[in-house]
Amino acid sequence: MVAVPLFITKRDGSQQPYDGEKIRQAILKAYRAVGLNDEAQNAIKIEASIHQELAQEGACIAVEAIQDLVERELMNLDPQVAKKYIIYREWRTVEREKRTSLKKTMDGIVSIEKNDVNLGNANMSAYTPSGQMMTFASEVTKDYAMKYLMAPQYARAHASGDIHIHDLDYYPTKTATCVQYDLADLFERGFHTKNGSIRTPQNIQSYATLATIVFQTNQNEQHGGQAIPAFDFFMAPGVRKSFIRHLSDRLLYTLELSEGRVLTDEERKSFTEELRGLAPRLGKGDEEVKELYTKLVASGRSFTEQAVRLALSSAYDRTARDTHQAMEGFIHNLNTMHSRGGNQVVFSSINYGTDTSAEGRMVIRELLSATVEGLGQGEVPIFPIQIFKVKEGVNYTEEDYAVASEDFKGALEGKYTFVAPNFDLLLESCRTTSHALFPNFVFLDTPFNKHELWKEDDPKRYHYEIATMGCRTRVFENINGLKTSIGRGNLSFTTMNLPRLAIEAMHLAESECPAGEKAEVRQLARKHFLDSVRREATFIAEQLYERYLYQRSALARQFPFMMGNDVWKGGSKLAPTDQVGDVFSSGTLAIGFIGGHNAMVAMYGQGHGRSDEAWHTLYDAIQVMNEVAQEYKAKHHLNYSVLATPAEGLSGRFTRMDRKRYGVIPGVNDLDYYVNSFHVDVKEEIGMFEKIRREAPFHAITLGGHISYIELDGEAKKNVSVILKLVKTMKDEGIGYGSINHPVDTCQSCGYRGIIYDRCPVCKSDHIARLRRITGYLTGSLESWNSAKQAEERDRVKHH
């Protein structure tokens, strides 16, 4: 009998002669994967059996059919090795599909399709040439990172939707996610950029301008956001310098008139230096006039009290004007200054509210005023994200709240003297929020936000005040240095697919207990769910460590501004060719999660906004994540924590993949998005105060970052007192970081701002900008959101 030649049909349709050696090598790889290196005889035996069977069937066999035969033979001979072969085969399939998917993605970028790749970042104009280049680079570097930079098990888990490795496109660059910087230190020492050095600024306009330059320059070395943790403290010296300059100018002018001559430059300089020690606190009242007049007379200067009064009044008013213009410029720059491709402006946040000096208070008053005024045509500023730091005794007391509750209008208009020196700024912040959706509120007295070293009389107490990134990332506790938010940030975070774990847990429980009562099945599912959460959190912790080891291998010269200027504390000690190494050990590694509500519906038929049983299960699941974070914090001596993931691009990715895997499950994956982290379902009809109470306990166990939102109906600026009441409730209930949403629509034809339904009520235009919040920051048009986040926004109910 003549042997029939065998051919293999490859996946692209081409054919090649059968090669038994390739099959034997694939089998040997499977054996080596389980630690068996001397199994050549088994490989020969299996290949011979396959060859004999194929010879009887025909002359041309598909490559997939051969792999099926290999699987079968391995299962018969050694199931453990067969499992490794199956996993490897699945991985290769995913890789092939990914390459095909990448081609389709690139085609979509070229043709500027309106798809979720192009709309993955609401802050980027993906249709511009630079935006297209950014999107191209993003997709290619993701592919590169998964193929060559991470262990296959992590790449597989990401590709299959078990986890989501965030900012995967920046993985090869080794950069960190975010940082909060010590602006006072930068201003005091000066700093250098690529083309030169910057001196210490000498007036409030320069302080504000240089702050934007720091933001812009450092943004090129971060893939996430940046924050100023104590904006009022850092800007206050600039106000002081401007005040001294104006006061000196006015008094020198009076002096020249009285002496009938022009003073020399040396005389003017000497007087200004003398005035720095004599000048009273910022103000123009009788107390300040008397203080300065007395000091000037004692120093031998012959000024009249009226001249001093006029000089102080003029200097104060001019300083206030300069400060307002500086804050206007600061806001305008951060909304127009593109720092990266795709017309992206800086992901900027500022924290403030606890500087009680007259200078710091002036900064915030003028900042809030400029925020309400808006941009050129009155548009609400998108950046910076503003966060007011609520602190007992500094800007809040129960006594002050009671006064404001009795007469809110009068309190807002300044009719009362408050116990807390900055309570008036809290009121003004509530008013500003009602117009512009910012500031958000972070609560310094919440137990997990307190710092044992904070002292009211410490001029640098801001080092011990929690400050947050606007999106919610929280950096505070530090196993490798000072507990502070300043000079450090998040290194990376990865999110688990919580609904998938719940679906799998239910399937497993139902298979193990097919005739069981509903309660019995749910109890079993709960155990499986918590076990799987622990496994997934452990898996993510290992993946974060792998990425950390890669990040710490970066050279300092890769981040010349951030390391060279000690923006990330410790970086200035490194030579350009030094590895970043332990400098990055002060950063945080966050285990994230999404879809808590959807997971609970999968198990209990309703979410944790209604079901107490579901609430406790979700709470316990996050506690399990914390246990893993603590274990890995001890194991690697790194700042592991749990993050309530801010999901923008991720919002619909898991949902699409889970629908494909499990089909449509009502209430779980039937919408275009999973609900963020531990949030009560956006569609849940729940009162605003009840929502705060149900979400607050989760803040204490998500120390990598968290936020809770309240959705108001109607125009908030017509009832600002409600915002103050919500701030109090958040404070009382233990919220760490909270935000209040309400509709802000602007007619782009006439500038009318308010709730606009179809057309502008003034000019009847339908050219309307609808400002909404997405993952902590604002976007001026819903059209820039991906489809999942648009769907989520449509579903958001108002809380009453």
Side-chain angles (χ1 to χ4, degrees):
M1 181 176 178
V2 180
V4 180
L6 289 175
F7 290 89
I8 305 299
T9 303
K10 300 177 68 177
R11 292 178 181 85
D12 61 2
S14 63
Q15 294 183 355
Q16 68 179 36
Y18 174 90
D19 186 349
E21 180 58 22
K22 288 185 176 180
I23 295 176
R24 289 191 291 272
Q25 287 301 318
I27 295 168
L28 287 174
K29 285 180 181 179
Y31 274 103
R32 292 185 191 120
V34 295
L36 301 173
N37 298 317
D38 189 19
E39 298 293 330
Q41 290 302 314
N42 282 347
I44 293 171
K45 180 179 178 181
I46 291 172
E47 188 277 325
S49 175
I50 291 171
H51 185 267
Q52 182 179 2
E53 183 172 342
L54 291 178
Q56 298 173 355
E57 293 183 359
C60 197
I61 299 91
V63 67
E64 293 287 350
I66 292 179
Q67 291 183 339
D68 288 342
L69 292 173
V70 173
E71 281 186 19
R72 187 194 68 192
E73 293 296 322
L74 280 171
M75 284 297 293
N76 292 333
L77 189 64
D78 197 329
Q80 184 183 10
V81 177
K83 183 177 180 181
K84 291 291 183 181
Y85 182 85
I86 292 167
I87 291 173
Y88 173 75
R89 184 180 174 187
E90 180 184 353
W91 163 240
R92 293 293 300 166
T93 300
V94 169
E95 286 300 297
R96 284 190 296 273
E97 290 175 351
K98 186 167 56 180
R99 286 192 291 271
T100 304
S101 174
L102 185 60
K103 171 64 166 58
K104 292 178 181 177
T105 298
M106 296 302 180
D107 291 342
I109 298 170
V110 170
S111 60
I112 59 172
E113 290 177 1
K114 190 172 183 180
N115 58 43
D116 287 346
V117 170
N118 289 332
L119 298 177
N121 179 353
N123 188 38
M124 185 171 77
S125 301
Y127 302 142
T128 63
S130 62
Q132 286 180 294
M133 286 299 296
M134 282 289 291
T135 312
F136 274 130
S138 174
E139 295 305 310
V140 171
T141 52
K142 286 177 187 177
D143 188 61
Y144 175 80
M146 289 182 67
K147 286 179 180 176
Y148 305 113
L149 299 181
M150 65 179 67
Q153 65 267 30
Y154 304 134
R156 278 198 301 271
H158 176 91
S160 67
D162 288 339
I163 65 172
H164 182 86
I165 301 172
H166 290 267
D167 302 298
L168 191 55
D169 46 349
Y170 276 88
Y171 197 117
T173 70
K174 304 180 182 180
T175 187
T177 303
C178 59
V179 70
Q180 299 205 40
Y181 43 77
D182 188 347
L183 208 55
D185 183 47
L186 285 171
F187 284 167
E188 185 178 334
R189 290 185 291 106
F191 57 89
H192 59 270
T193 62
K194 181 179 180 181
N195 295 320
S197 58
I198 306 297
R199 294 189 298 272
T200 301
Q202 296 301 316
N203 56 57
I204 185 57
Q205 291 98 327
S206 295
Y207 269 72
T209 299
L210 289 182
T212 63
I213 290 172
V214 171
F215 264 133
Q216 183 185 36
T217 307
N218 199 67
Q219 182 70 83
N220 291 297
E221 298 177 18
Q222 301 272 175
H223 61 254
Q226 303 165 79
I228 298 176
F231 186 73
D232 41 3
F233 282 95
F234 295 159
M235 292 291 110
V239 174
R240 185 70 181 173
K241 290 176 181 179
S242 289
F243 176 62
I244 295 297
R245 189 194 70 194
H246 286 308
L247 183 58
S248 176
D249 287 347
R250 302 312 295 165
L251 289 174
L252 283 168
Y253 179 69
T254 301
L255 195 60
E256 288 178 332
L257 285 178
S258 66
E259 294 188 7
R261 69 183 181 89
V262 176
L263 299 177
T264 66
D265 288 345
E266 188 61 34
E267 288 175 314
R268 296 176 68 87
K269 183 178 179 181
S270 175
F271 178 80
T272 301
E273 286 299 317
E274 181 184 355
L275 190 62
R276 293 185 199 283
L278 299 176
R281 66 179 186 179
L282 182 67
K284 58 180 180 179
D286 291 342
E287 186 177 334
E288 289 82 13
V289 171
K290 184 178 180 180
E291 179 186 347
L292 179 58
Y293 174 71
T294 302
K295 288 180 177 179
L296 286 170
V297 170
S299 68
R301 301 289 183 179
S302 55
F303 291 99
T304 67
E305 187 171 336
Q306 181 63 12
V308 171
R309 183 179 300 278
L310 290 173
L312 264 179
S313 180
S314 176
Y316 182 91
D317 292 344
R318 292 185 180 206
T319 301
R321 182 193 63 200
D322 287 354
T323 303
H324 187 83
Q325 291 177 342
M327 295 303 102
E328 278 187 323
F330 180 73
I331 291 171
H332 278 72
N333 282 336
L334 288 178
N335 284 278
T336 58
M337 190 168 60
H338 300 152
S339 64
R340 293 198 300 215
N343 297 339
Q344 289 186 86
V345 294
V346 180
F347 290 90
S348 53
S349 304
I350 57 174
N351 296 256
Y352 56 75
T354 56
D355 185 356
T356 57
S357 72
E359 292 82 2
R361 285 171 47 77
M362 178 178 281
V363 168
I364 303 310
R365 278 201 309 273
E366 301 306 331
L367 173 72
L368 295 172
S369 174
T371 301
V372 171
E373 289 171 7
L375 303 177
Q377 299 298 321
E379 303 95 333
V380 174
I382 305 301
F383 289 107
I385 300 172
Q386 299 181 37
I387 302 125
F388 190 92
K389 299 192 286 188
V390 180
K391 175 65 180 173
E392 185 79 34
V394 175
N395 50 45
Y396 181 89
T397 67
E398 289 296 329
E399 183 178 342
D400 292 333
Y401 177 80
V403 170
S405 297
E406 285 293 319
D407 181 11
F408 189 83
K409 183 180 178 184
L412 198 57
E413 292 173 350
K415 291 183 179 179
Y416 304 100
T417 299
F418 299 114
V419 176
N422 282 3
F423 184 73
D424 59 330
L425 294 182
L426 174 60
L427 293 178
E428 191 59 35
S429 291
C430 291
R431 188 179 79 88
T432 304
T433 294
S434 75
H435 284 264
L437 289 163
F438 288 143
N440 301 336
F441 300 91
V442 63
F443 299 91
L444 273 58
D445 294 308
T446 301
F448 52 83
N449 281 344
K450 282 187 175 181
H451 200 303
E452 57 278 3
L453 298 181
W454 189 91
K455 295 180 180 179
E456 189 173 358
D457 60 352
D458 182 356
K460 292 190 175 182
R461 58 188 177 274
Y462 55 82
H463 280 284
Y464 311 115
E465 295 176 353
I466 180 73
T468 184
M469 301 299 303
C471 66
R472 80 191 63 187
T473 307
R474 180 182 180 276
V475 177
F476 199 38
E477 295 79 14
N478 187 7
I479 197 173
N480 290 313
L482 180 66
K483 177 182 175 181
T484 185
S485 296
I486 296 176
R488 45 195 292 255
N490 173 253
L491 292 170
S492 66
F493 61 102
T494 296
T495 294
M496 71 175 68
N497 185 343
L498 217 52
R500 178 176 291 187
L501 298 182
I503 294 168
E504 294 281 4
M506 281 300 293
H507 286 175
L508 183 56
E510 288 166 350
S511 68
E512 291 177 346
C513 193
E517 295 290 331
K518 184 179 292 187
E520 183 183 2
V521 172
R522 285 177 174 173
Q523 189 62 29
L524 185 57
R526 182 183 190 277
K527 179 183 182 304
H528 290 317
F529 176 65
L530 295 179
D531 288 344
S532 64
V533 167
R534 180 177 297 279
R535 286 194 300 271
E536 202 72 83
T538 302
F539 183 79
I540 288 174
E542 293 284 6
Q543 179 269 318
L544 290 169
Y545 185 64
E546 179 191 67
R547 187 170 185 176
Y548 165 75
L549 293 177
Y550 181 68
Q551 287 175 300
R552 65 176 280 127
S553 71
L555 302 182
R557 68 183 180 192
Q558 292 180 247
F559 317 117
F561 186 83
M562 184 167 68
M563 294 299 169
N565 290 292
D566 215 36
V567 171
W568 191 292
K569 294 297 184 185
S572 62
K573 297 177 182 178
L574 301 174
T577 55
D578 287 344
Q579 288 192 353
V580 171
D582 287 342
V583 169
F584 265 169
S585 69
S586 65
T588 62
L589 302 169
I591 302 170
F593 64 97
I594 189 174
H597 162 77
N598 308 83
M600 294 306 97
V601 174
M603 294 175 64
Y604 296 102
Q606 55 185 337
H608 59 294
R610 293 189 178 187
S611 166
D612 289 342
E613 187 178 11
W615 190 95
H616 285 292
T617 294
L618 180 59
Y619 186 89
D620 289 347
I622 300 172
Q623 282 287 50
V624 167
M625 297 179 208
N626 273 286
E627 291 170 9
V628 173
Q630 291 303 314
E631 290 167 9
Y632 274 81
K633 180 182 286 188
K635 180 178 180 179
H636 296 305
H637 213 262
L638 294 171
N639 294 302
Y640 280 89
S641 58
V642 177
L643 170 71
T645 297
E648 182 184 346
L650 173 58
S651 182
R653 177 175 180 260
F654 280 166
T655 320
R656 289 191 299 272
M657 300 176 92
D658 287 350
R659 269 203 303 269
K660 185 175 180 180
R661 175 176 289 197
Y662 305 109
V664 175
I665 305 173
V668 179
N669 63 8
D670 53 339
L671 300 177
D672 290 336
Y673 60 92
Y674 281 149
V675 176
N676 267 2
S677 61
F678 56 71
H679 289 178
V680 170
D681 185 15
V682 298
K683 305 188 304 303
E684 185 73 58
E685 296 287 348
I686 187 173
M688 59 180 71
F689 301 112
E690 178 63 16
K691 185 175 192 290
I692 290 170
R693 293 186 186 101
R694 293 194 80 86
E695 290 187 359
F698 292 103
H699 285 227
I701 57 174
T702 50
L703 297 186
H706 45 243
I707 191 170
S708 282
Y709 298 112
I710 293 298
E711 298 281 341
L712 295 184
D713 200 1
E715 294 191 54
K717 61 187 178 183
K718 294 180 179 178
N719 193 5
V720 183
S721 61
V722 170
I723 293 178
L724 178 62
K725 189 174 183 180
L726 283 169
V727 170
K728 171 182 167 51
T729 303
M730 288 181 178
K731 179 181 183 301
D732 291 346
E733 293 296 329
I735 289 286
Y737 178 41
S739 179
I740 299 162
N741 294 337
H742 52 87
V744 177
D745 301 330
T746 303
C747 175
Q748 295 183 316
S749 297
C750 73
Y752 172 81
R753 188 192 298 174
I755 296 179
I756 303 175
Y757 296 99
D758 295 321
R759 293 180 177 274
C760 173
V762 176
C763 70
K764 309 306 178 185
S765 170
D766 61 358
H767 194 202
I768 310 300
R770 303 190 185 278
L771 191 70
R772 301 294 186 270
R773 197 186 309 271
I774 179 173
T775 66
Y777 61 90
L778 306 181
T779 55
S781 171
L782 294 178
E783 292 182 356
S784 66
W785 293 22
N786 63 55
S787 60
K789 294 307 288 186
Q790 287 190 39
E792 187 229 271
E793 194 279 334
R794 288 193 298 269
D795 287 343
R796 293 176 186 173
V797 301
K798 307 304 180 186
H799 303 125
H800 303 286

